[in-house]
Amino acid sequence: MQLVLEKRAERSNTIALVSPLIAIGLTIVTMIILFAILGKNPLLALHAYFVAPLTDGYSLQEIAVKATPLVMIAIGLSLCYLANAWNIGAEGQFLIGAVAGSWIAVKTQGTDAGAWVLPAMLVLAAAAGALYALIPAICKVKFGASEILTSLMLVYVADLFLDYLVRGPWRDPHGFNFPTTAEFDPVATVPLLIEGGRLHLGSIIALLVVAAAAILLGRTIKGFEIRVVGAAPRAARFGGFNANQLIILTFAVSGALAGLAGIIEVAGPVGHLQPGISPGYGFTAIIVAFLGRLNPLGILIAGLFLALTFIGGEQAQIAMKIPLDVTKVFQGILLFYVLACDSLILYRFKLVFPNRQVARGTG
Amino acid sequence: MQAHQRMLDPTPNGLHSGESPLLQTLGLTKRYGDFLANDSIDIDIWPKEIHALLGENGAGKSTLVKAIYGLIQPSAGEIRWQGERIVLSGPSEARSRGIGMVFQHFSLFDNLTVAENVALGLDGKESFKDMSARLEQVSKTYGLPLDPRREVWQLSVGERQRIEIVRALMQDPKFLILDEPTAVLTPQEADQLFIVLERLKAEGRAILYISHKLEEVKRLCDTATILRGGKKVETCNPRLETAASLARMMVGGEIKEVKAPAGRQTTVPRLVVNDLSLAPSEAHGVRLEHISFELKGGEILGIAGVAGNGQDELFAALSGERLSRDPGTVVIEGIAAGHLSITQRRKLGAAFVPEERLGHGTAPRMRLSENALLTGHAASGMVRRGFIDTAATLKTVDRATETFDVRKAKRDPEAASLSGGNLQKFIVGREILRNPAVLVVSQPTWGVDAGAAAVIRQALLDLATAGAAVLVTSQDLDELAEIADRIAVMFHGRLSAPLATSEATREKLGLLMGGSSLEPKEAAHAVGA
């Protein structure tokens, strides 16, 4: 008896929907084993991770707040990945967006600048993120440089640039030498949706981005172009679509969304620019994009789920002294299973029994 | 002696009583999932026999020979070699027992020499020098001239095939399988191949000859086994059958005759190519040189030629997948279009059907409606202000389905789930439904079943009758003779002057396909070039 992978005639839509769930199931099983090895009660740990955050209002808001940047970045990344353009540097575009938007906030600090400040910050952050993403895109199109490497390396450039600014020119003079800017003025801050709560306008923007992506991919010729260039490059060229233009476009859009997410995070929940504004949102968003099957609605759900693991990870650390790094292990294992389960969309498992020997006489 | 007697005998197998066949399959079955690619096939192959294996695409020919050559394991049944039951662990065991095979698609490294390629394919331990000497000797003995030191990319398709044949012969096989060997040859090259095969047969070897060219089989083969839908239909003596009766056995019914409508009139030139030259876009590609022709409405121009002589490059230059610096090199409907994109050319009324159905003509994992949009977005009202009109794309699918009898499991399946013939009918239908002024189509019926091929050829004729200009590139000379008004031949990136189909004999076309010229004075010029 032998287990073989057999190609399906047509992709299975059922599996396409179920595969992320199978992946989550397998991840949880693996985590149970991991918790047991760490000497923690697996049931309590799972409760802390997945149930406790859903039981109080503060945590629920916090999940939405964490999901906001994840979803916005992942939507942009999904456009790249659908078009076969591999933007791995969303983290860098996120940081550059945060820096560019903060520039206006820092420069208008303490002046009587009006309501134009926040919109200007958002626009500048998106533009900066887009420009930063265009560097690997143009290197790819003009020189054939691998966008995977260049976009990833630019993450560290952005990270150190931000570090330089908050330790040097932009440091808050009254900040006890901490590497941080001063708290942004109210006109440079993303407004809260509920007074005294955590939920802010950025979550609404994220929902609008999801809706726009759904319309783009499902209804427009541009969305079709993106999908066909990724799925069948030669057929796309035959259809009259230019793959290089699409690399530029999808990188610019995903950079803009990452940059926007960056400034919303800084001008929203954080309130000032400092190192460590991102717990790896740009990288976790890659998992969100694939867990959501590169589908806008799927990404929204996946974003909320991964936000849950961030919040749950904090709770588990507080309640059970489980290291926060376990959350990253969890996310890595999840991506592994998601990609593995995806093969079931085009293939199925089949048990094969060895040939029964056919006995036959001669002649 | 025996072979001679058998030719006269209507039941060839009756003669072999008393001795055992060289190779025998008994109830050979291969199952892929629920699909029976081979259903209990019995076949006997005798020494000194050229045995044809006939069948349409998907009939199970390849599966059967792969099992015999040890590439796949049968699900049930057995293979006997010289009367003894064998289970082949793989092709190298098949080779060591004396079974050789020449594939339709060559496995050669372009940047290596002939001798290096042969050495890579041999299992033995002899030195490179000895091997090279033996290679030259084998190629001389069988009249298959080869220079062991030349690199493969410099060789013609016919020469590449010689490498494969010589490589197989160097193992001294008792039994040689050839998969559609003449598909890539000119008629003259095919004749030379037949001489070699007759000689191998006279030496006592057996040959299994896969083909769907019936005249060829009647001429060359002693026995024919016909497969259809994975089952053996019959084993017969092809010389006692007619091409029509063999075709009936292959298809399982009558094939519809393609009818050229009477009174087709040519109108104004709709596609003109003026002195088109284009450097290859990839290494070892073919340079197009000074190609000129004029194609009027109501006319079908056929382009013959051995694969790899610039047909793909010409298609790309005509479609706009590759652009030309000089706009006047390609003129569509009176407008210089050499610099225009494929979308702009479609807007001028041109339509294109490439050779590769999956991956070029369609996106395999996308639905038919999306594949209708792939070429229809330019000029078919499927897109309004950037938004897709899904109803319009589905309507195109339905119309193509109805008009061209596309068989599929549901209304809008993925392209990859259709059979080759049905997908090709969809692709041709998708383009014809746009009422193109110019249709450029490459290998319209390649790997397509006979029924679908007839539908497609008829559609091309009808389109020309309706006034369109149709350019058909094909390696199938019979197909071109059936539908084209004029035939030109492509060789090394050059296009010959077109011949009227009535004057384009196989001999003349064969000479052009081999690079010779029909006129003596031009021949002298060609030598100098």
Side-chain angles (χ1 to χ4, degrees):
Chain A
M1 207 172 66
Q2 208 181 350
L3 199 61
V4 295
L5 272 182
E6 188 177 270
K7 199 165 180 136
R8 296 173 192 268
E10 193 158 349
R11 51 182 295 145
S12 162
N13 288 325
T14 329
I15 300 287
L17 286 174
V18 174
S19 128
L21 299 180
I22 301 174
I24 290 172
L26 290 169
T27 309
I28 289 176
V29 170
T30 312
M31 290 308 287
I32 288 175
I33 297 168
L34 197 66
F35 287 136
I37 293 170
L38 286 171
K40 311 284 178 190
N41 181 336
L43 285 180
L44 287 178
L46 287 181
H47 184 269
Y49 257 89
F50 299 113
V51 184
L54 297 173
T55 50
D56 73 285
Y58 176 83
S59 294
L60 282 175
Q61 282 193 49
E62 198 58 35
I63 289 171
V65 168
K66 279 266 191 288
T68 296
L70 288 176
V71 168
M72 283 177 68
I73 301 168
I75 290 282
L77 291 181
S78 71
L79 299 182
C80 286
Y81 299 161
L82 283 170
N84 236 345
W86 299 98
N87 181 4
I88 307 297
E91 180 82 0
Q93 295 138 26
F94 177 93
L95 295 175
I96 284 294
V99 164
S102 299
W103 177 69
I104 298 182
V106 169
K107 292 297 160 194
T108 59
Q109 194 113 45
T111 65
D112 53 0
W116 60 270
V117 172
L118 183 67
M121 286 164 66
L122 298 182
V123 169
L124 189 66
L131 285 175
Y132 203 59
L134 280 177
I135 300 170
I138 288 170
C139 288
K140 165 81 173 178
V141 170
K142 291 274 174 216
F143 312 113
S146 164
E147 75 278 24
I148 298 176
L149 291 177
T150 50
S151 65
L152 179 61
M153 290 190 294
L154 284 169
V155 170
Y156 305 104
V157 176
D159 198 18
L160 293 171
F161 182 54
L162 187 156
D163 215 54
Y164 158 73
L165 288 175
V166 293
R167 285 175 202 281
W170 290 3
R171 189 174 54 191
D172 180 6
H174 312 294
F176 307 103
N177 245 350
F178 280 111
T180 167
T181 65
E183 283 298 303
F184 290 177
D185 288 344
V187 286
T189 306
V190 178
L192 293 174
L193 291 181
I194 310 161
E195 201 57 48
R198 294 278 296 159
L199 213 54
H200 56 79
L201 189 66
S203 305
I204 304 290
I205 296 177
L207 286 178
L208 291 177
V209 167
V210 169
I215 292 169
L216 173 76
L217 288 173
R219 296 264 171 269
T220 69
I221 187 73
K222 203 40 124 185
F224 175 71
E225 210 177 312
I226 290 172
R227 288 187 292 129
V228 78
V229 160
R234 194 150 172 239
R237 202 177 332 135
F238 179 65
F241 304 135
N242 185 327
N244 282 346
Q245 273 175 17
L246 271 191
I247 291 178
I248 301 278
L249 178 79
T250 54
F251 259 82
V253 170
S254 75
L257 286 173
L260 195 57
I263 192 60
I264 287 173
E265 189 67 12
V266 168
V270 180
H272 55 260
L273 190 65
Q274 64 170 54
I277 50 170
S278 162
Y281 285 133
F283 295 116
T284 309
I286 299 172
I287 305 174
V288 172
F290 281 105
L291 185 64
R293 304 220 46 78
L294 305 182
N295 169 300
L297 202 61
I299 285 171
L300 180 61
I301 297 166
L304 288 167
F305 179 74
L306 274 149
L308 174 66
T309 69
F310 273 120
I311 308 298
E314 283 170 14
Q315 300 230 356
Q317 187 183 28
I318 295 163
M320 300 181 64
K321 298 196 170 56
I322 293 174
L324 204 54
D325 287 337
V326 171
T327 307
K328 290 205 170 135
V329 172
F330 174 90
Q331 292 173 351
I333 294 173
L334 183 60
L335 180 62
F336 170 80
Y337 280 126
V338 165
L339 297 179
C341 287
D342 270 8
S343 52
L344 292 178
I345 296 168
L346 286 179
Y347 296 86
R348 65 172 142 232
F349 279 117
K350 186 146 193 178
L351 279 176
V352 173
F353 299 92
N355 300 348
R356 246 176 303 145
Q357 308 295 324
V358 181
R360 264 187 189 239
T362 40
Chain B
M1 274 301 278
Q2 199 189 43
H4 181 68
Q5 279 177 330
R6 201 179 332 132
M7 260 166 52
L8 307 172
D9 192 321
T11 55
N13 293 331
L15 241 135
H16 300 288
S17 53
E19 51 174 302
S20 70
L22 182 66
L23 182 123
Q24 212 178 1
T25 68
L26 292 171
L28 192 113
T29 298
K30 179 67 191 179
R31 197 177 282 118
Y32 290 108
D34 302 329
F35 176 69
L36 273 174
N38 277 171
D39 186 359
S40 197
I41 291 179
D42 298 329
I43 189 168
D44 294 346
I45 289 157
W46 300 82
K48 280 200 166 192
E49 175 184 66
I50 302 183
H51 193 129
L53 189 57
L54 282 172
E56 291 210 84
N57 273 76
K61 297 174 304 215
S62 301
T63 308
L64 180 62
V65 296
K66 277 184 193 161
I68 293 173
Y69 192 53
L71 277 166
I72 54 173
Q73 290 298 324
S75 313
E78 63 178 71
I79 300 169
R80 287 188 191 178
W81 178 246
Q82 297 177 314
E84 170 202 346
R85 182 172 176 214
I86 54 167
V87 176
L88 293 169
S89 59
S92 66
E93 189 185 343
R95 282 195 294 268
S96 69
R97 284 182 185 271
I99 302 173
M101 179 152 178
V102 175
F103 289 91
Q104 189 181 2
H105 300 285
F106 309 144
S107 41
L108 297 171
F109 296 95
D110 278 350
N111 290 322
L112 297 183
T113 65
V114 171
E116 286 164 343
N117 267 290
V118 171
L120 280 171
L122 291 179
D123 308 317
K125 292 186 182 72
E126 88 198 288
S127 77
F128 188 74
K129 204 175 136 205
D130 293 351
M131 195 278 311
S132 298
R134 206 155 65 83
L135 166 67
E136 269 196 281
Q137 190 220 323
V138 169
S139 75
K140 260 201 205 97
T141 315
Y142 288 98
L144 294 161
L146 274 178
D147 179 351
R149 285 167 296 275
R150 285 188 75 188
E151 290 187 359
V152 166
W153 64 269
Q154 301 171 303
L155 304 181
S156 74
V157 182
E159 288 172 304
R160 291 176 201 207
Q161 186 181 55
R162 265 180 236 158
I163 305 175
E164 295 272 359
I165 294 174
V166 167
R167 177 152 80 183
L169 290 179
M170 283 178 70
Q171 321 239 10
D172 193 21
K174 297 188 184 73
F175 174 44
L176 188 62
I177 305 166
L178 293 144
D179 190 358
E180 304 237 4
T182 56
V184 294
L185 301 181
T186 68
Q188 282 85 350
E189 284 175 320
D191 287 345
Q192 286 172 3
L193 175 69
F194 295 161
I195 296 170
V196 174
L197 297 184
E198 290 287 357
R199 174 160 179 181
L200 292 173
K201 172 179 141 183
E203 289 176 347
R205 302 176 209 269
I207 290 164
L208 185 61
Y209 187 87
I210 303 175
S211 183
H212 61 251
K213 294 189 181 171
L214 303 172
E215 290 299 338
E216 206 174 274
V217 166
K218 276 171 62 66
R219 197 174 129 199
L220 181 72
C221 300
D222 309 299
T223 318
T225 293
I226 294 121
L227 301 185
R228 187 170 75 230
K231 289 194 174 73
K232 184 171 104 172
V233 180
E234 182 137 28
T235 296
C236 61
N237 181 340
R239 294 185 176 116
L240 302 176
E241 300 287 335
T242 62
S245 69
L246 288 170
R248 263 199 301 279
M249 283 189 262
M250 273 167 62
V251 178
E254 291 292 336
I255 304 163
K256 218 166 69 179
E257 284 270 321
V258 174
K259 264 189 237 132
R264 190 137 50 91
Q265 302 256 312
T266 55
T267 57
V268 291
R270 307 194 93 161
L271 174 65
V272 180
V273 173
N274 293 316
D275 198 29
L276 171 69
S277 296
L278 207 56
S281 60
E282 43 194 66
H284 309 328
V286 178
R287 174 188 296 275
L288 296 180
E289 298 199 65
H290 307 296
I291 290 179
S292 297
F293 62 85
E294 187 180 278
L295 184 52
K296 295 194 179 79
E299 190 185 25
I300 299 181
L301 173 64
I303 294 186
V306 173
N309 271 293
Q311 293 95 326
D312 297 347
E313 287 81 357
L314 179 62
F315 182 87
L318 292 178
S319 69
E321 287 167 289
R322 283 206 64 204
L323 302 181
S324 167
R325 263 201 214 112
D326 179 359
T329 49
V330 179
V331 180
I332 297 169
E333 289 280 73
I335 293 168
H339 62 305
L340 296 183
S341 72
I342 189 167
T343 301
Q344 288 166 313
R345 293 182 200 202
R346 286 193 177 112
K347 284 183 179 154
L348 292 179
F352 311 96
V353 176
E355 177 179 343
E356 278 294 317
R357 285 185 281 278
L358 288 171
H360 192 179
T362 62
R365 290 288 168 189
M366 288 192 149
R367 306 192 168 283
L368 290 187
S369 59
E370 295 174 303
N371 277 302
L373 182 65
L374 183 70
T375 61
H377 67 89
S380 303
M382 292 178 182
V383 180
R384 257 174 283 149
R385 293 182 180 184
F387 282 82
I388 300 163
D389 183 347
T390 316
T393 60
L394 273 171
K395 211 174 118 198
T396 305
V397 175
D398 291 344
R399 280 176 63 206
T401 306
E402 214 172 287
T403 319
F404 296 97
D405 185 30
V406 180
R407 315 248 171 100
K408 50 196 167 60
K410 51 184 177 180
R411 187 179 178 198
D412 194 15
E414 284 176 10
S417 72
L418 265 64
S419 75
N422 283 307
L423 185 59
Q424 187 72 357
K425 283 191 281 188
F426 169 77
I427 294 174
V428 171
R430 166 182 85 180
E431 302 305 327
I432 286 182
L433 287 175
R434 293 174 41 217
N435 293 320
V438 174
L439 179 68
V440 178
V441 42
S442 185
Q443 307 286 3
T445 60
W446 177 81
V448 158
D449 61 274
V455 170
I456 289 166
R457 287 175 193 157
Q458 187 66 55
L460 296 178
L461 280 169
D462 293 346
L463 183 69
T465 309
V470 180
L471 181 74
V472 182
T473 307
S474 179
Q475 287 183 64
D476 185 346
L477 294 182
D478 298 330
E479 172 169 85
L480 293 179
E482 200 174 346
I483 60 172
D485 302 297
R486 293 183 297 155
I487 300 176
V489 175
M490 235 175 147
F491 178 75
H492 282 193
R494 291 171 185 270
L495 191 70
S496 76
L499 301 166
T501 303
S502 52
E503 293 163 18
T505 58
R506 292 185 84 83
E507 285 64 37
K508 279 188 194 171
L509 291 176
L511 284 172
L512 290 169
M513 285 161 75
S516 313
S517 177
L518 295 182
E519 289 162 55
K521 57 178 180 190
E522 267 187 58
H525 173 72
V527 169

